[in-house]
Amino acid sequence: MRRGRTTIQDVAQQAGVSVATVSKVINARYGVAAATAAKVQAVIEELGYESSLVARSLRSHRTGVIGILVAELEPFTAELLKGAGRAVEGSGYELMVYAAGGPGIERVGWERRNLSRLGGTLIDGAILVAPTVVTPDDTIPLVAVDPHRGRSGLPMVNSDNRAGGRAATEHLLALGHRRIGFLAGRPDLESAEQREAGYRDALAAHGIPVDPALIEVGGYEQERAERAARALLTLPDRPTAVFAANDRSAIETLEIARTLGISVPGELSVVGFDNIPESVMCHPPLTTVDQFIQHMGFDAVELLLRMLAGKTPEQTHLTRPTTLVVRQSSGTAPGRRAPRPAKVAAARSRTTATVARAARA
Amino acid sequence: MRRGRTTIQDVAQQAGVSVATVSKVINARYGVAAATAAKVQAVIEELGYESSLVARSLRSHRTGVIGILVAELEPFTAELLKGAGRAVEGSGYELMVYAAGGPGIERVGWERRNLSRLGGTLIDGAILVAPTVVTPDDTIPLVAVDPHRGRSGLPMVNSDNRAGGRAATEHLLALGHRRIGFLAGRPDLESAEQREAGYRDALAAHGIPVDPALIEVGGYEQERAERAARALLTLPDRPTAVFAANDRSAIETLEIARTLGISVPGELSVVGFDNIPESVMCHPPLTTVDQFIQHMGFDAVELLLRMLAGKTPEQTHLTRPTTLVVRQSSGTAPGRRAPRPAKVAAARSRTTATVARAARA
DNA sequence: GTGAAAGCGCTAACAT
DNA sequence: ATGTTAGCGCTTTCAC
C-alpha cells in the first residue's frame, strides 16, 4: 500500500500507459483503443482510484457541483437543505454546503469571500443564503435566497414577507391585543424589513398608532434578541403580545417570559416567523408564519439548475406565499373574555396538516 | 474589470511584486518588508482578492476545512449538521458538507468515492455519516457517525441503540401489546441491527417468542419501507403495534395505516427511533426513541478537532444514551381496558422537556 | 492511438 | 527582502 491518496500517476504507471491516456479513459474521450481503455479501467477498479475534485476543477472549470453558501448551520438553513437535497436528485449535480463558520466572525461579506474562494473552481454555481452584500459576480450563476435589501439584480427566491407579517399581526389583533410589540430582525435583510412593514400595515389598518417603544431590534442574534425581548417584557406598560421577526427570536422571547414569570399565552401572546421544526417543540408550541423553507430550497436549486443548463428562466424572482400556523403561544388578550374562537381552533388543525404535508413533499 | 476571478497574479502585477511575495503576505510569512506588505495588502483590498481554496489546498494540503460526507440531505443529517455547526464555532475550522446526490445512485461506496475526491486536498479531516463501507483510509483523520457493522477501527460516535430498541419495545409491552411488529432498517448498519437486538431482548424478557412474520425490512428507503409497512398491516392477524427502526419508516407506517383506515393509537400503536423534528409534526405525534442527533454531530466534530490538533483522544468510541419520548402514536393494546397509566403521562412531559432543551443545547 | 509538455492558481524551497 | 523555480494532480493541445 502506498501512503497518501492514489493519483492518476499511480494508475498510469500500473497500467503501463501515460497519464494523458488515463485521463482520456476517465473522461471518455475519443482516441483510446478499446483494449487500452479496458486495461486502464481494470487498474482503476483495482486501485480504487477516484480523481481529485480539486485538481480536476483547477484545470477544467467544470465540476458538477452546486455550492450552497451559508453563514451558519442553524434550523433555517437545515430546512433549506432538505429541500435543496430533493431538488438535485437525479440532476447529475452534487451538493456542497459551505458554512462560513458560525455566527461570530465578520458577518458582512462572508458570501463574497467564500464565493471567491470556491467560485470559478470547485463549484459550477451557487446559492447564497441570506447574503449581506452581493457584488453581482459574473463568474458563475448565482441564486440568492432571502437576500438583503435593495435590488441586486440577482435571481432570487423569497416569500411574501409583508403579507406574512400582516397575517401574524392581524391574528393578534383579532385576539383583542392592542399593545403588540415587534422584535425586529437583521436590518440589512429585505425579509426582515418587509415583516415589519406588514406589522405596521396591520396596525394602521386598525387605526392603531405604532408605539416606537414597542419595537426592539433582535437582529436574529441570540444575545441581542434576548436583550431586546427582555426590554420589551420589562416595560412599565408591557405589550400583551409580541410578534418576533423569526422563530428563533420568538422562542427566545418565550424563554425570557418564562424567567420573568409571565405566562404564555395567558399573560402574553407570542408569534414567530419561519415555522422551523423547533417551533413545534418549544413550550408552548409556537404560533408562527410558515414560509415553507424547504420549498424555497427546492425552488432555488431548480432555478439554478435551469440557469446552469443555459436556459434563461422567464421567472427569476420567485416569491412564495406564507401561511399562518396557529399553535398554543397565542391567545385572547388579557382582560378580554372572548373565548378562543372556534375558527381559530379549526385553522389550527388545518394549518398543522399543511405543515406535515410540506415536510414530506 | 477583468473577466473571471481575480488571481494572485493580478495582485502581484498590480502591486509590482512577485507572486511569491504576495503569497507570503497572505500567509503572514517572514521576509517581507512592512512597506511591501502594506502595499500588497492595499491591492488585495482594492481588488477584493481572496485566494482560491482549490489551488491553495492542492499545494499546501492544509485548508482549515472539515468535511461532512453524507449520502443524502434528509432530516437525520440536517439535525446532525446543527450540532456539528455549533461544535466548529470558534475552532478556526469551517465546515463543508458534501452530499453524494440523493438516495438513488449507488449507495454502497459513496463515502469512499467522495473521500477520494476530496481527501488529501480540500478537507483536513472528515466525518462520515452512516457509511456503508470504510476502508480505513490513512490520508486524513476520520470519524464515523452511526457506522456500518463490524469493526472498522475508526473513531466513532453512536448511541446505545440496543437499549433504545429495548425501551421502545418495553413501552409497547407495558401497554399490553403482545403482537409487536418490527420494521427493520438498513441491514448493513450496526445501529439498525442493534435496534432489532433490543426488540428481541425485550420480547425474550417477557417470554414472548419472536414471530418472523412480524418482521419486515424497510431499509430506511421510502418505497421499501412503505411496502414493508403495508405487508405488516395487511397480515391476516396483524400486529397491534409496530416498532420501526427509524422515524421516517415510522411516519410512513402512520401514513399506510391511515390509507388502510387503521386508527392510531386506537387500533395500532407505532413507535419510531431518532426523534427527528418531523416526529413531532406528524399525526399523531410520534412516540419515539430520542438519540440526540445534534449531540452526536457535536461530539463527532469535537472528536475530529481533537484528532486534528494531534491529541490522541483517550475515548475514540463515544456512545450516547437514548431516551424514550412518549407522544400520541402509542396507546393501550386493543382489547385491554387498562387506562393509560399516569406515569406514562408524566414521562411524556418530562421527556418532551428534555427534547426542547437538547434542541437548544 | 498515444505520450510529451504546458499550465490551472497557488505555496515552498532555494537562490540572489 | 525579494524573486526564481519547481511542482500539487489533473486536462488539454499538439506532436509523433
Side-chain angles (χ1 to χ4, degrees), chain A residues 7-8 23 27 29 49 52 59:
Chain A
T7 76
I8 198 173
S23 175
N27 299 290
R29 291 275 178 285
Y49 169 75
S52 158
R59 215 25 242 208

Side-chain angles (χ1 to χ4, degrees), chain B residues 124-136:
Chain B
D124 294 344
I127 290 169
L128 271 27
V129 181
T132 57
V133 276
V134 179
T135 0

Side-chain angles (χ1 to χ4, degrees), chain A residues 60-311:
Chain A
S60 63
H61 292 192
R62 210 282 178 178
T63 58
V65 178
I66 288 176
I68 301 189
L69 272 42
V70 303
E72 190 188 350
L73 287 167
E74 31 69 60
F76 179 90
T77 312
E79 285 306 294
L80 204 79
L81 294 182
K82 292 179 194 170
R86 277 196 299 271
V88 284
E89 277 175 29
S91 69
Y93 279 90
E94 301 199 309
L95 235 39
M96 174 176 287
V97 184
Y98 200 83
I105 308 157
E106 281 193 65
R107 288 199 72 93
V108 175
W110 62 265
E111 57 286 294
R112 198 186 45 64
R113 263 200 313 287
N114 289 338
L115 208 48
S116 300
R117 282 159 57 99
L118 307 182
T121 45
L122 237 214
I123 54 178
D124 295 344
I127 289 169
L128 270 26
V129 181
T132 57
V133 276
V134 178
T135 0
D137 188 315
D138 56 348
T139 19
I140 53 172
L142 255 34
V143 170
V145 170
D146 194 8
H148 65 107
R149 291 161 50 179
R151 281 278 143 270
S152 68
L154 228 53
M156 55 165 238
V157 173
N158 64 6
S159 359
D160 192 343
N161 290 290
R162 187 158 190 166
R166 209 181 304 128
T169 314
E170 289 283 3
H171 167 65
L172 291 169
L173 287 165
L175 288 170
H177 295 277
R178 288 302 172 263
R179 288 185 59 72
I180 302 175
F182 180 66
L183 192 49
R186 256 175 59 189
D188 61 309
L189 292 185
E190 189 187 314
S191 57
E193 185 189 42
Q194 290 298 307
R195 288 168 203 175
E196 177 165 347
Y199 161 78
R200 290 172 184 271
D201 284 352
L203 290 186
H206 284 249
I208 300 175
V210 171
D211 181 350
L214 294 185
I215 300 185
E216 287 282 343
V217 180
Y220 296 161
E221 292 163 42
Q222 159 116 338
E223 272 188 53
R224 195 160 165 215
E226 283 179 355
R227 239 181 301 125
R230 188 180 303 275
L232 241 27
L233 300 191
T234 51
L235 236 35
D237 186 14
R238 71 158 193 255
T240 62
V242 171
F243 168 37
N246 77 351
D247 281 354
R248 290 178 92 185
S249 310
I251 292 170
E252 274 143 18
T253 303
L254 249 30
E255 209 61 36
I256 296 292
R258 207 169 47 74
T259 64
L260 293 175
I262 303 173
S263 83
V264 176
E267 301 170 87
L268 177 78
S269 285
V270 177
V271 176
F273 203 111
D274 275 351
N275 197 26
I276 55 175
E278 280 72 4
S279 68
V280 193
M281 308 193 297
C282 59
H283 294 281
L286 193 67
T287 291
T288 189
V289 178
D290 192 351
Q291 66 166 330
F292 306 100
I293 311 176
Q294 296 192 25
H295 287 286
M296 293 173 72
F298 188 94
D299 287 351
V301 168
E302 273 220 321
L303 184 54
L304 187 59
L305 246 20
R306 235 188 298 268
M307 291 164 65
L308 286 169
K311 303 173 207 151

Side-chain angles (χ1 to χ4, degrees), chain B residues 4 13 31 38 47 78 126 157 169 199 206-207 212 215 238 278 295 306 359:
Chain B
Q13 195 172 327
L47 266 43
V157 174
T169 314
Y199 161 80
H206 285 248
I215 300 185
R238 71 158 195 255
E278 281 73 3
H295 286 286
R306 235 189 297 270

Side-chain angles (χ1 to χ4, degrees), chain B residues 36 164 272:
Chain B
T36 315

